[in-house]
Each structure stands twice: as structure tokens, then as C-alpha cells.
Amino acid sequence: MTHETVGVAVAQFAPSAAKQSNLDALADLARTAAARGARVIVFPEYSSYFVDPFDLSLAENAEDLDGPFATALRTLAGDLDVVLVAGLVERADDGRRVRNAVIAVGGDGIRAVYRKLHLYDAFGQRESDWVAPGQIAPPETFEVEGLRFGLMTCYDLRFPEVARTLADARVDVALVPAEWVRGPLKEHHWATLLTARAIENTFFVAGADHPPPLGVGHSMVVDPQGVPLATVGTATDVAVAHIDPGAIARVRRVNPALDLRRFRVTPR
């Protein structure tokens, strides 16, 4: 590690219906990550509130972008001089469904917002019964110490076009809050897709998941060659990767796949 690297952490914990407990857990992990040199800390999907299975309490506990959860993150980020990225159950228009949002928050406020595009209507689940899909729009990004960060969420990993739009936005690190549900081969899918998105876009990917029993855990930061730099197993914990901003340029000189491609992403 040198002074020129940028610390990026994945923070793994199990959010619940106890909103204050979620914030307390998040704060503890953020302090640990910051003490290890992290400047950007990624938390799981649904960090503000989570219940399994989903029910009407999801909408009852949804918040606005200036609500208590985002406000607490802003205070914490300012105290630690970091950017916190976490899943927010955001209030939607119809009162029954919510938005599955990810917010990046610094001490100066919200830096970027992403609303999940692809809802988890798969493997026997129906997220769209409770969640409204995000609108297709140019990615919101933010920068920390010369690195550009972009956002996506969980099931979006299975759609390579989402990560490609981040590459087109000149993102250096894709941040992926998730609640990657356990099941046969699901750990394999999670690790493989995080790695594939990094390799095909020649950028870093950081994915933060819920631990078992509901998630698979195995939160990790992957480099542009697909090599895991820092990982968490199945515990509540953080892992910090100290990213060299020059690594992307070096990889792309050898593997200029983004320049050689012959297709672009267009909305459906």
C-alpha cells in the first residue's frame, strides 16, 4: 500500500426491521473500515430496512432522500471523512410499493442515487410486487481522490448492460450493494458475476452482501483482471482494498476490449 492508493471497503451485515439497530451496525462497521484506511465504504442492499418475506411494513418504513437514514449517513460520513454507499428503502408515489435505492453520501450530502433497474422476479421471488423499478437514465457518478465511482444493485449483476453503461460513463469502480439470496450454486453465481463484470469492463467491482442465513455473504472487491483483492466470508465484517488508480490504465493498454467492441447499449 502507498499513499497514492484509495481505500475501498465492503461492509457485510444483516439489515433487519430494527432501523436503529441497522444504523448502529452500519456505524460500527464504517468506523472499522475508516480506521483501516477506507475512503469509500459499501454496505448491502436494503440497509435502511429489511424484512423477509416482504410485507406492507416495507412501504410503512420507506423514507425520502432527506429522511432520517440519509441524514444519519451524512453525519457519519462527515465525522469519518468518507463516502458511505448503502441501500435505502425509498418512498414511492403509490404508497404501496417502494423504490429500491442506493445512495452515496458524503459529509456534504448525497453524491449519487441509483434506483434498481432489474427487479428480482426470479428463483421463486417477486420483488416487483413490492418495489417499483428505477427509470433508465444516465448513471450518476461521484469522485474520490481521482477515482470515479458508479452504482448498481444486486440482480442487475445478471444484466451486463448495466455495468457497461457505467463503463461508458468512465467509471473506475462499480459499487454493488446486494441481498444475494442463498440457494443452489448461488455463491458461485455471485462470485462469477462480480468477476465477469470486472473483467469485461476492465474496472474494479466492489460487492457488499447480506451474510447467511438469507444472503450468501462473500462480499468482495475485485480488480480489473478479475482477481479478488479483499473478501469477507460469512461473518459480519469489513474488508478493505487499497486501489491503485493506475491499475486500470495498465490493464487497458494490454487488453483494450472497451475500445475494440462493436456494439453499444441501447434501452429496450
Side-chain angles (χ1 to χ4, degrees):
M1 183 182 75
T2 74
H3 68 282
E4 298 174 338
T5 61
V6 180
V8 176
V10 286
Q12 183 168 288
F13 82 105
S16 71
K19 297 169 76 171
Q20 187 58 50
S21 294
N22 294 339
L23 280 171
D24 292 343
L26 189 152
D28 286 345
L29 292 169
R31 293 187 190 99
T32 299
R36 297 179 188 174
R39 295 299 318 285
V40 178
I41 307 167
V42 189
F43 292 88
E45 183 181 20
Y46 294 111
S47 283
S48 68
Y49 182 86
F50 184 73
V51 62
D52 180 64
F54 286 165
D55 57 29
L56 293 174
S57 71
L58 204 65
E60 293 166 359
N61 286 277
E63 300 183 14
D64 295 320
L65 294 180
D66 59 354
F69 183 76
T71 300
L73 261 56
R74 178 176 182 174
T75 300
L76 181 63
D79 290 345
L80 298 177
D81 190 24
V82 298
V83 175
L84 303 173
V85 176
L88 166 69
V89 179
E90 184 189 10
R91 199 184 316 275
D93 299 328
D94 62 16
R96 184 181 186 278
R97 293 198 298 176
V98 301
R99 293 189 183 95
N100 184 335
V102 172
I103 53 175
V105 185
D108 54 351
I110 292 179
R111 304 275 189 93
V113 179
Y114 175 79
R115 296 175 177 94
K116 191 175 185 179
L117 292 178
H118 297 94
L119 300 182
Y120 189 59
D121 289 359
F123 296 92
Q125 305 288 321
R126 286 282 305 176
E127 188 177 30
S128 65
D129 288 345
W130 305 99
V131 179
Q135 297 297 311
I136 296 173
E140 295 186 17
T141 65
F142 66 95
E143 294 191 12
V144 174
E145 295 187 10
L147 283 177
R148 180 172 291 180
F149 295 82
L151 309 171
M152 55 192 294
T153 311
C154 198
Y155 193 51
D156 286 327
L157 271 178
R158 294 185 182 272
F159 302 85
E161 299 85 1
V162 179
R164 189 68 95 195
T165 63
L166 296 182
D168 284 341
R170 298 168 55 203
V171 160
D172 301 303
V173 189
L175 307 177
V176 192
E179 202 290 286
W180 200 264
V181 180
R182 292 189 75 192
L185 296 177
K186 294 296 289 296
E187 290 93 341
H188 172 62
H189 290 189
W190 167 247
T192 299
L193 291 168
L194 287 171
T195 302
R197 300 295 84 87
I199 293 170
E200 68 198 7
N201 293 293
T202 54
F203 58 23
F204 292 89
V205 176
D209 192 25
H210 295 216
L214 294 178
V216 301
H218 298 288
S219 301
M220 67 181 77
V221 182
V222 183
D223 80 0
Q225 295 268 47
V227 178
L229 300 180
T231 62
V232 181
T234 57
T236 296
D237 204 352
V238 299
V240 182
H242 296 277
I243 288 178
D244 175 4
I248 293 174
R250 291 194 296 271
V251 169
R252 290 179 178 174
R253 278 196 296 270
V254 178
N255 177 23
L258 289 178
D259 290 336
L260 295 174
R261 63 197 165 118
R262 299 177 66 184
F263 297 90
R264 299 293 176 187
V265 176
T266 58
R268 180 180 175 184

